[in-house]
């Protein structure tokens, strides 16, 4: 499996892990209807979920993660 595929899967899984609970919590705790709970959960998840990216370095391609709760960019 290529690093780009791994980055995509990590990104998808991390997004789902944050999005689903936020959507359920927003629907349960508010009286918002229609598309607003998923939209608000989407915005919150965009801010809080980690970002995975593949970059070419001197050693070859590497997978990096950037997250609001981590200082700087970390190599995986």
């Amino acid at each position: 499996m290529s690093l780009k595929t791994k980055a995509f899967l990590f990104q998808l899984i991390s997004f789902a892990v944050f999005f689903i609970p936020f959507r359920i919590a927003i629907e349960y705790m508010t009286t918002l209807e229609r598309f607003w709970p998923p939209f608000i959960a989407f915005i919150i998840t965009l801010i809080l979920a980690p970002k995975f990216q593949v970059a070419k370095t001197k050693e070859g391609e590497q997978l990096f993660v950037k997250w609001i709760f981590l200082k700087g960019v970390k190599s995986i």
Side-chain angles (χ1 to χ4, degrees):
M1 183 182 305
S2 71
L3 281 178
K4 288 184 180 182
T5 305
K6 285 183 183 180
F8 175 75
L9 290 176
F10 287 154
Q11 188 76 31
L12 183 67
I13 291 168
S14 67
F15 188 87
V17 165
F18 280 87
F19 178 77
I20 293 169
F22 280 126
R23 181 178 176 178
I24 292 169
I26 291 169
E27 286 180 357
Y28 180 74
M29 294 180 177
T30 65
T31 59
L32 296 174
E33 296 177 3
R34 305 184 89 188
F35 69 90
W36 287 109
F39 180 72
I40 293 170
F42 174 77
I43 298 299
I44 293 170
T45 303
L46 279 180
I47 296 168
L48 294 180
K51 313 302 187 271
F52 295 91
Q53 187 173 8
V54 175
K56 291 184 180 181
T57 61
K58 295 177 186 176
E59 296 85 29
E61 289 187 334
Q62 284 188 333
L63 183 61
F64 293 97
V65 62
K66 182 178 179 184
W67 196 19
I68 191 171
F69 301 114
L70 290 176
K71 188 175 182 178
V73 178
K74 302 290 181 185
S75 175
I76 297 179

